[in-house]
Amino acid sequence: MKPVNDSKVHLSDDCIFSRWRLLVLIGSASLAALLTVACKADDASGHMADYGPGLYAHIETGRGTIVLRLEHERVPLTVANFVGLAEGSIEFTGQEEGPYYDGLTFHRYVSGFVIQGGCPDGTGTGGPGWSIPGEFQNVELSQKMPKHRKGILAMARSQDPDSAGSQFYICLATASHLDGSYTSFGNVIEGIEVVDELRQDDVMETVRLEEE
């Protein structure tokens, strides 16, 4: 069983946000500058732990906190999409304005394989109202992506390689057969024991970003 969005309907290229097309055109250097501006830590929450230079996502759950390093230089479009959703800085359909992932569930758990979340419907069939190109299809980018092992963060999709939207999964074990077929864009650097405890219907209370 593959970690895919179970929806049989995918969004066409016409539905891909023009912003994402623009980000591809302006290149990863400009994107890195954009993320530096967009992803400063929230001073109200205090300074988070020093993990070294990089871009990080902090997922708060009822079982604890998961910290992931996002590979924005290696996988620019996918990380930009995730950041925009997490911050609520881009428009999406079917939800009120604000951070997209806050309050969503991990709707799918397969022991020894993946925990998957990011569906606004909690069914595995929903998304933000658009899809993004699968960066794993770019040979140069694919070679730079993290290999699927325990703790790796990647985008879920349907059979269409360009159907990823908001759903993501975290590997619970090595899954080498997914390498080159899914866009991996981060890895757990703290809280892997929390990931091990997650089960279907557990809630992502908040997803916050920090740039060191």
Side-chain angles (χ1 to χ4, degrees), residues 50-58 66-72 74 79 146 151-153 185-190 210 212:
D50 184 5
Y51 300 105
L55 178 63
Y56 303 91
H58 297 247
I66 304 164
V67 182
L68 302 110
R69 183 192 302 272
L70 304 180
E71 299 288 352
H72 65 278
R74 297 182 181 183
V79 172
I152 289 299
L153 172 69
F185 64 103
N187 66 284
V188 175
I189 62 168
E190 184 176 305
E210 179 185 26
E212 291 277 350

Side-chain angles (χ1 to χ4, degrees), residues 38-48 208-211:
C39 303
K40 293 295 183 180
D42 184 358
D43 291 338
S45 63
H47 180 66
M48 299 175 184
R208 294 293 177 264
L209 300 162
E210 179 185 26
E211 195 266 342

Side-chain angles (χ1 to χ4, degrees), residues 25 28-29 31 35 42 46 69 76 80 82 92 104 115 120 135-136 147 154 164 175-176 178-179 183 188 193 195 201:
L25 292 174
S28 60
L31 175 60
L35 291 175
D42 184 358
R69 183 192 302 272
F82 182 86
F92 43 82
L104 298 189
I115 185 77
E135 290 184 280
F136 65 87
K147 302 301 182 184
S176 300
L178 301 182
D179 292 340
T183 300
V188 175
E193 71 283 356
V195 174
D201 296 328

Side-chain angles (χ1 to χ4, degrees), residues 13-112:
D13 286 344
D14 291 336
C15 295
I16 299 173
F17 248 52
S18 60
R19 180 175 301 194
W20 307 134
R21 291 196 183 98
L22 176 62
L23 288 173
V24 173
L25 292 174
I26 64 178
S28 60
S30 295
L31 175 60
L34 171 64
L35 291 175
T36 298
V37 173
C39 303
K40 293 295 183 180
D42 184 358
D43 291 338
S45 63
H47 180 66
M48 299 175 184
D50 184 5
Y51 300 105
L55 178 63
Y56 303 91
H58 297 247
I59 302 178
E60 295 289 345
T61 77
R63 300 180 186 270
T65 303
I66 304 164
V67 182
L68 302 110
R69 183 192 302 272
L70 304 180
E71 299 288 352
H72 65 278
E73 294 183 348
R74 297 182 181 183
V75 200
L77 177 60
T78 301
V79 172
N81 181 67
F82 182 86
V83 167
L85 288 169
E87 289 193 326
S89 58
I90 53 177
E91 295 181 0
F92 43 82
T93 61
Q95 286 183 257
E96 296 180 359
E97 293 183 0
Y100 181 89
Y101 290 114
D102 290 8
L104 298 189
T105 63
F106 290 97
H107 62 272
R108 181 175 180 232
Y109 167 75
V110 182
S111 179

Side-chain angles (χ1 to χ4, degrees), residues 112-187:
F113 186 34
V114 299
I115 185 77
Q116 183 171 325
C119 173
D121 302 327
T123 61
T125 61
W130 70 83
S131 59
I132 60 173
E135 290 184 280
F136 65 87
Q137 299 171 98
N138 182 311
V139 176
E140 183 178 352
L141 289 179
S142 182
Q143 292 174 344
K144 298 177 182 178
M145 291 177 188
K147 302 301 182 184
H148 282 75
R149 54 180 173 75
K150 185 172 182 177
I152 289 299
L153 172 69
M155 292 300 291
R157 62 174 179 84
S158 69
Q159 296 301 319
D160 184 333
D162 296 327
S163 59
S166 60
Q167 295 188 41
F168 63 86
Y169 61 89
I170 301 174
C171 290
L172 303 179
T174 297
S176 300
H177 63 286
L178 301 182
D179 292 340
S181 296
Y182 292 84
T183 300
S184 55
F185 64 103
N187 66 284

